[in-house]
């Protein structure tokens, strides 16, 4: 028997239809059409609502039905709204106001396109220090791209990709071909949870945990709850917590605070998801990893990569025996991870975490720090629009602004490459690198990229690679590289970087 809330929205639809009928007796046809359209729209919204939202107690309250909301992070619609509100409040702490933000953003997109085009045509100028390729090449230690073509890296990428399978039978078949048996395959459909599979090979003495990336609205909501929160672990049924901190010796568990606030800070939504994942598989980890001594490899792409990293941190805290770096019993391979931990932790987990970032992939650069840098750049662009009298505030200036945009990449630049470079550097120097609310890509990071300054056959793509960390300057601003900033995130480009045939 459906609960009373199940009839809440259909009842509203009926009421709306009745209103439309009575309105038709006294109003014109347009009023009737508007009311009818509203009724159909309400009905469509109700039908398309995900099941978890219809059943959510806080959503039922929103519809006027009373109930009690249990306090569990991201378990309810109201809690998600609150978390998004907290993130919005933290973004307001960035004290940078850009007038005519939309115009500055459009002009900035054009400017970055012009700089890229000039670089591709060899017209950027003699100052190589300001070039994008120079910054990439000097972001860390140059390594041959072939050094990434290892069996370990390639297999990890495949397992991360296989986490996207929803068909358990297909996943089981692929794992068995590699000598693994599927232990569990969980497909999540609620915010604050991630989909994953767990498989074991007694022969290889290895356990694989593959975590799926963003694939649904629920995953997007998890991504968006991105406030940086301290990492505490409950120690008993009373929910008492212990401190998880980062020190010179690594990640430690402490019951005191002699060194000030050195909490590990994590992406809130992904921390909640990782904790739930670990709670669900903990018994299997105890059996196969803690007791049987199998090696645990955790792989993920995008959201899954972030969850893989935090899950590994939680595991090493719950089971200190797994934190012995000499044994290397836990290894994480994160492909295109979002920024998920604070600066010191991002550096401190390099012994067991390897991240991969390609080109201008925007997801590893989605952070509050980079938002502040972007706003500084947009403010400088706005100032140039004002100086050139093309800021769209009047009919004349708006027409001039549109003509400017219509020039595409062939028009005159509002800022030279060196001026934009100085603006980015200036912003990076002003913004605190180790501010608790700023998150970074963890571990040792392999940055693969296609140079802009290469000429010749466009089909003959050149690859370069540097080994660096998530605090490198190339990750501390959002590179608006046209559509590439989004297409650089898909799994197929990581297959190409690792020289693996893409089959999914």
């Amino acid at each position: 028997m459906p609960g009373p809330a199940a009839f809440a929205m259909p009842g509203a639809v009926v009421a709306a239809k009745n209103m439309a009928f009575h309105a038709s007796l006294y109003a014109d046809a347009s009023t009737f059409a508007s009311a009818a359209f509203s009724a159909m729209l309400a009905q469509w919204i109700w039908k398309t609502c995900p099941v978890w939202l219809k059943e959510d107690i806080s959503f039922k309250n929103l519809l006027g039905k009373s109930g009690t909301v249990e306090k569990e992070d991201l378990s309810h619609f109201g809690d998600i709204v609150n978390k998004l509100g907290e993130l919005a409040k933290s973004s307001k702490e960035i004290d940078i106001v850009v007038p005519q933000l939309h115009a500055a953003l459009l002009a900035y997109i054009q400017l970055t396109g012009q700089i890229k085009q000039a670089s591709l045509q060899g017209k950027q100028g003699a100052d190589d220090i300001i070039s994008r390729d120079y910054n990439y090449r000097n972001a860390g230690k140059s390594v041959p791209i072939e050094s990434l073509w290892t069996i370990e890296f390639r297999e990890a990428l495949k397992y991360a990709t296989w986490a996207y399978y929803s068909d358990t039978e297909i996943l089981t078949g692929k794992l068995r071909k590699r000598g693994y048996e599927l232990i569990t395959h969980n497909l999540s459909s609620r915010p604050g949870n991630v989909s994953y599979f767990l498989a074991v090979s007694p022969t290889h003495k290895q356990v694989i945990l593959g975590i799926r990336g963003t694939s649904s609205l629920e995953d997007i909501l998890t991504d968006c709850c991105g406030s940086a929160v301290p990492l505490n672990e409950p120690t008993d049924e009373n929910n008492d917590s212990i401190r998880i901190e980062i020190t010179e010796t690594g990640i430690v568990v402490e019951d005191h605070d002699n060194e000030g606030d050195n909490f590990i800070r994590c992406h809130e939504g992904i921390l909640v998801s990782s904790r739930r994942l670990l709670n669900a598989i903990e018994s299997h980890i105890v059996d196969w990893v803690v007791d049987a001594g199998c090696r645990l490899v955790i792989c993920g792409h995008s959201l899954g990569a972030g969850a893989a990293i935090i899950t590994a941190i939680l595991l090493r805290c719950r089971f200190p025996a797994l934190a012995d770096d000499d044994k290397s019993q836990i290894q994480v391979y994160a492909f295109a991870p979002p920024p998920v931990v604070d600066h010191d932790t991002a550096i401190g987990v390099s012994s067991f975490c390897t991240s991969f970032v390609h080109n201008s992939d925007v997801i590893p650069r989605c952070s509050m720090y980079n938002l502040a840098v972007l706003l500084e750049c947009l403010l400088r662009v706005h100032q140039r629009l004002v100086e050139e009298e093309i800021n769209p505030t009047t009919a004349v200036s708006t027409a001039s602004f549109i003509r400017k945009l219509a020039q595409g990449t062939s028009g005159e630049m509002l800022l030279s490459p060196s001026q934009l470079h100085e603006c980015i550097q200036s912003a990076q120097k002003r913004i605190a690198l180790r501010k608790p609310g700023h998150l970074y890509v963890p571990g040792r990071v392999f940055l693969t990229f296609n140079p802009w300054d290469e000429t010749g056959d466009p089909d003959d793509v050149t690859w370069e690679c540097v080994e660096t960390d998530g605090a490198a300057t190339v990750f501390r601003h959002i590179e608006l590289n046209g559509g590439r900033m989004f297409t650089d995130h898909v799994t197929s480009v990581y297959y190409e970087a690792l020289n693996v045939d893409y089959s999914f």
Side-chain angles (χ1 to χ4, degrees), residues 159 162 165 169-180 503-504:
Y159 296 138
W162 291 356
Y165 278 117
E169 186 175 344
I170 294 176
L171 177 61
T172 301
K174 285 186 171 290
L175 288 168
R176 281 180 177 168
K177 288 181 180 179
R178 281 172 165 73
Y180 289 88
S503 58
F504 179 66

Side-chain angles (χ1 to χ4, degrees), residues 99-164:
Q100 298 290 104
L101 177 62
H102 61 286
L105 180 59
L106 290 173
Y108 184 61
I109 292 172
Q110 180 188 38
L111 173 62
T112 55
Q114 290 172 320
I115 291 175
K116 179 178 180 178
Q117 188 65 24
S119 179
L120 292 173
Q121 295 175 353
K123 299 178 181 179
Q124 185 160 297
D127 190 359
D128 290 334
I129 295 179
I130 61 174
S131 74
R132 175 261 198 183
D133 292 340
Y134 178 91
N135 292 332
Y136 271 54
R137 288 169 179 146
N138 288 272
K141 181 180 70 174
S142 177
V143 297
I145 188 68
E146 293 81 7
S147 66
L148 302 188
W149 300 351
T150 66
I151 294 176
E152 180 91 355
F153 290 170
R154 288 173 169 176
E155 290 296 287
L157 176 58
K158 290 178 181 178
Y159 296 138
T161 310
W162 291 356
Y164 284 96

Side-chain angles (χ1 to χ4, degrees), residues 260-456:
D261 183 6
N262 56 335
F263 271 120
I264 289 178
R265 283 178 167 79
C266 302
H267 181 294
E268 185 173 21
I270 299 179
L271 172 60
V272 170
S273 302
S274 302
R275 186 172 280 135
R276 286 192 178 131
L277 184 160
L278 182 52
N279 290 340
I281 66 171
E282 185 170 355
S283 62
H284 299 300
I285 297 298
V286 170
D287 291 342
W288 288 102
V289 182
V290 179
D291 294 342
C294 290
R295 182 170 180 256
L296 174 62
V297 176
I298 311 178
C299 316
H301 169 259
S302 190
L303 167 63
I309 295 159
I310 297 182
T311 299
I313 294 174
L314 291 171
L315 264 172
R316 288 166 63 98
C317 295
R318 290 190 189 183
F319 304 100
L322 302 181
D324 188 344
D325 289 331
D326 292 333
K327 294 182 179 179
S328 300
Q329 201 169 352
I330 296 179
Q331 189 63 49
V332 177
Y333 296 107
F335 298 90
V340 290
V341 293
D342 63 88
H343 174 273
D344 291 358
T345 306
I347 306 300
V349 301
S350 58
S351 63
F352 62 91
C353 175
T354 302
S355 296
F356 300 82
V357 176
H358 179 60
N359 257 347
S360 58
D361 188 347
V362 68
I363 298 303
R365 295 172 170 88
C366 284
S367 66
M368 297 301 293
Y369 181 102
N370 287 349
L371 175 60
V373 173
L374 176 61
L375 289 174
E376 289 269 12
C377 294
L378 294 180
L379 184 59
R380 182 71 183 96
V381 169
H382 167 75
Q383 292 168 352
R384 288 291 297 129
L385 290 174
V386 173
E387 291 168 5
E388 296 293 323
E389 298 182 347
I390 55 175
N391 191 42
T393 54
T394 66
V396 174
S397 61
T398 299
S400 300
F401 178 73
I402 293 174
R403 284 195 297 269
K404 170 65 178 170
L405 294 182
Q407 294 174 354
T409 58
S410 61
E412 184 177 350
M413 297 182 190
L414 283 173
L415 295 169
S416 69
S418 60
Q419 289 173 325
L420 179 59
H421 179 72
E422 290 171 4
C423 180
I424 293 173
Q425 277 196 325
S426 175
Q428 290 174 339
K429 289 177 181 178
R430 280 198 299 272
I431 301 168
L433 189 65
R434 299 175 68 180
K435 186 176 180 179
H438 293 162
L439 303 177
Y440 300 88
V441 171
R444 63 168 181 161
V445 182
F446 287 108
L447 170 62
T448 58
F449 62 98
N450 308 120
W452 286 358
D453 58 11
E454 295 290 339
T455 58

